[in-house]
Amino acid sequence: MKIFDVVIIYKLYLYTIIVKYSSKTEMKLKYISTRGQAPSIGFEEVLLAGLASDGGLYVPESYPEFSKEQIRAMRSLSYADLAAQIMAPFTQGCLDMQDLTEVSHQAYKNFSHTAVAPLKQVNDNLWVMELYHGPTLAFKDYAMQVVGRMFDKVLKRNNKRVTIVGATSGDTGSAAIEACKVCENLNIFILHPYKRISEVQRRQMTTTISPNVFNIALEGTFDDCQSIVKSLFADDVFHARHQLSAVNSINWARIMVQIVYYFRAALALGAPDREVSFAVPTGNFGNIFAGYVAKRMGLPIKQLILGSNENDILPRFLETGVMQKRQVKPSISPSMDIQVSSNFERLLFEVLDRNAQEVSRLMENFKYEENYSVPPEALNKINSLFSGLRCTDRETKDEIEKVYKMSGEILDPHSAIGFAAAEKHARKDIPCIVLATADPAKFPQPVHQATGVVPKLPEELSDLMTRRESFTVLPNKLESIKYFIETSNRKV
Ligand SMILES: *Cc1c(COP(=O)(O)O)cnc(C)c1O
């Protein structure tokens, strides 16, 4: 072989390495922190990590976009296949189309409605998408059922184990437990405030008897539960020894899976050739942020309308540009009794043109002063897309009654707030879809008061009130919780 040939072969060899390497890095979407101080990582790490190490939230380095043609081609897909298509650009390098298709078919096959997320017309240009046909009757199942299976797949493949720890005031805990009970490579510990959640909510968690599920009833409030979970994550030694992980609403994977039903609804009403709007009852800003991402991905969304109860930090912000924390006030829509909408940080990052330093500064301010304000340009950007409405409990019940009389559709208190927000803010010439986030049977009292109808639990849950429960009551002490997790993890 001549020296010349060797050089050619060597050059070809280099070239293939470069092509291979660059196509691989090009293919794999990276995630960055909204506070700019954590390393950028791939989907697998984002899935398992939850929060970034600098306290920020992970967002994709750039949002994948679909062309009109690509979106049009999605019209004929089943819900599960649509989910796989929407998720694929986000999970490259971790889960391929085959993995996603498998996970999503498994996740949605047990939903109680064949359409998975049925869409109903209620008024001229107003629609309701029922997102409560999963196992725990709230919209959180739609993401959690997929995310639990993703955990299982990734952990098994890497021969890893994790311990999921979380606090709940109701719906998140049951959705997480229901999704994780089938996962072999993890244990899940959910803390709820003892005697401070509804019986239906408690039983949805405590009647799931599985060797990897641990329900802790803490002698304290929801805030105490959350504060203990935070302390566990902040304890580096404990964190590392038990490989702690979280599936709360700041986990990017949950946002990603929620994008799917925005596409589903919009496609059914004529997207990408027709604009639509959405109205969403909002607490942590997770659900509605998924709508924002759907828009960034090419879905023609005109308005995103948010509804809140008297914990109205978001509607106040939209009016004033000031995010001002107040005391949490209990309401008949308890899943939105929130004064810190964690996922809003992701929107802030976008409207501040991804200035992580500025986001960090505002978040520090919020932590220490309980408020921050954004510059007028940023507020204008937010107001050009979002609008909001606050409802008192009285107004919420009136809305439930009104919608029932008008259409026969029974809304739960959360969904009724979304509906009221749509009626107030939706442009009349564009179809608006209200996301119904819970089955009315989860909140029977206010629904009964408003309509005279006692909403029935679906068949699969009709024996919920007589099933065997399992939970451990523990004192409001960090050490007791640590000891419990330590000994339980050893047994499994
Ligand atoms: C969690 C929840 C919400 C709020 O969703 P976010 O993503 O926190 O905005 C609204 N309604 C119900 C029934 C919920 O469980």
Side-chain angles (χ1 to χ4, degrees), residues 138-140 171 281-287 335-336 338 412 414 437-438:
F139 85 94
K140 294 188 173 75
D171 299 332
T282 308
N284 241 326
F285 205 74
N287 199 3
S335 301
M336 309 195 316
I338 286 175
D412 94 290
H414 304 80
T437 51

Side-chain angles (χ1 to χ4, degrees), residues 381-397:
K381 277 189 215 165
I382 294 173
N383 277 329
S384 68
L385 182 57
F386 291 88
S387 39
L389 178 74
R390 163 201 42 244
C391 289
T392 62
D393 281 356
R394 179 73 261 158
E395 289 165 337
T396 305
K397 282 187 203 163

